[in-house]
């Protein structure tokens, strides 16, 4: 994928901020990621009539405490009544969450990554029929001493429009497990690292129990806000 084309991806991406919630901790594994969730997702540009594109991420993932490796399943769906035509799914990592690889997808060059991200892959999709979905196996690493977020934009093949964007949505833990083989992380939960020199794994910034779970809804910032990806870059005109 050329640098010119990847620059065009930037056109309509927006960032998200999320309220922290208290969620009961459960043990997770790579094979048991819980139900898929579209938490933190929002329509950005209007899709063609009859096309409704969304994504889902697992409610929970598990990070190996020794290798810091984890597996994530990213799914794109067409919930509309007409086929999507050519689109692409981006899988982008932020902060302590690094995307190492996505099956069947191409790595985004470092110079074309969105501001603040550390890694990303572009997954071209020739067509997604009405009612169909496509899942991708994401190989990732998570530094438990940091926060970590992931973002799934669904765009036109040329990157000029973003029909849907999930995230950047955080994964985090409400129950650090320093002596266990793995640490379960929950979608929509901010991971708050311990102070430098601390002996424990990071604690989360869980809200008081009085805060309703509904407070987890994403407040996506509009284009032009301070958090806009690639805010200083513009797609070049096509030759």
């Amino acid at each position: 994928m050329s640098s010119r084309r990847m620059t065009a991806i930037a056109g309509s991406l927006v960032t998200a901020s999320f309220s922290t919630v208290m969620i009961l901790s459960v043990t997770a594994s790579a094979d048991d990621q819980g139900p898929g969730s579209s938490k933190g997702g929002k329509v950005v540009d209007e899709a063609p009539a009859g096309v409704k594109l969304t994504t889902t991420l697992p409610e929970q993932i598990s990070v190996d405490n020794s290798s810091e490796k984890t597996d994530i399943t990213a799914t794109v769906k067409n919930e509309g009544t007409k086929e999507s035509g050519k689109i692409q799914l981006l899988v982008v990592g932020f902060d302590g969450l690094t995307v190492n690889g996505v099956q069947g997808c191409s790595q985004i060059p470092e110079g074309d990554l969105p501001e603040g991200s550390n890694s990303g892959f572009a997954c071209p999709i020739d067509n997604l029929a009405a009612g169909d979905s496509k899942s991708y196996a994401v190989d990732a690493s998570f530094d438990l001493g940091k926060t970590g977020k992931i973002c799934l934009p669904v765009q036109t093949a040329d990157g000029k429009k973003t029909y849907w964007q999930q995230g950047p949505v955080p994964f985090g833990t409400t129950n650090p497990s320093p002596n266990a083989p793995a640490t379960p992380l929950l979608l929509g939960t901010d991971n708050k690292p311990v102070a430098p020199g601390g002996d424990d794994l990071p604690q989360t910034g869980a809200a008081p129990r009085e805060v309703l779970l509904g407070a987890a809804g994403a407040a996506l910032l509009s284009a032009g806000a301070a958090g806009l990806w690639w805010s200083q870059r513009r797609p070049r005109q096509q030759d």
Side-chain angles (χ1 to χ4, degrees):
M1 183 175 294
S2 68
S3 178
R4 175 178 295 184
R5 182 178 175 190
M6 287 310 308
T7 301
I9 291 174
S12 53
L13 297 180
V14 292
T15 58
S17 61
F18 299 88
S19 302
T20 309
V21 296
M22 177 66 74
I23 305 177
L24 296 179
S25 174
V26 293
T27 301
S29 69
D31 297 324
D32 180 20
Q33 298 185 339
S37 171
S38 60
K39 183 180 294 183
K42 181 181 179 179
V43 172
V44 181
D45 295 314
E46 186 177 357
V51 177
K52 183 181 179 182
L53 297 166
T54 61
T55 59
T56 59
L57 287 163
E59 284 280 6
Q60 58 193 31
I61 60 175
S62 181
V63 177
D64 186 284
N65 284 342
S66 298
S67 66
E68 297 186 335
K69 298 292 186 181
T70 186
D71 297 318
I72 302 172
T73 300
T75 301
V76 56
K77 302 185 292 184
N78 181 3
E79 299 178 343
T81 58
K82 295 183 179 180
E83 59 186 21
S84 69
K86 289 187 177 182
I87 56 174
Q88 64 177 348
L89 170 71
L90 305 185
V91 183
V92 184
F94 290 82
D95 305 322
L97 194 158
T98 301
V99 180
N100 301 318
V102 182
Q103 187 176 19
C105 304
S106 301
Q107 187 170 12
I108 299 174
E110 184 176 353
D112 292 320
L113 287 170
E115 183 178 355
S117 69
N118 56 48
S119 54
F121 285 76
C123 309
I125 301 171
D126 286 337
N127 185 55
L128 200 59
D132 280 0
S133 64
K134 188 168 185 178
S135 295
Y136 293 88
V138 179
D139 175 24
S141 300
F142 198 104
D143 183 345
L144 292 170
K146 300 179 181 179
T147 59
K149 298 180 179 71
I150 191 169
C151 190
L152 303 181
V154 183
Q155 303 181 325
T156 53
D158 59 10
K160 292 182 177 180
K161 289 186 177 182
T162 298
Y163 294 140
W164 169 270
Q165 181 174 309
Q166 184 175 7
V169 61
F171 275 103
T173 176
T174 59
N175 184 23
S177 308
N179 299 318
T183 296
L185 303 183
L186 302 179
L187 184 67
T189 303
D190 269 321
N191 199 52
K192 293 202 172 178
V194 294
D199 296 328
D200 298 326
L201 286 179
Q203 304 288 333
T204 60
R209 291 184 179 273
E210 292 77 14
V211 178
L212 297 177
L213 294 181
L220 291 178
L221 303 179
S222 62
L228 181 65
W229 289 8
W230 288 295
S231 58
Q232 301 304 317
R233 303 177 66 181
R234 294 292 185 273
R236 302 183 210 169
Q237 296 295 325
Q238 298 293 323
D239 294 335

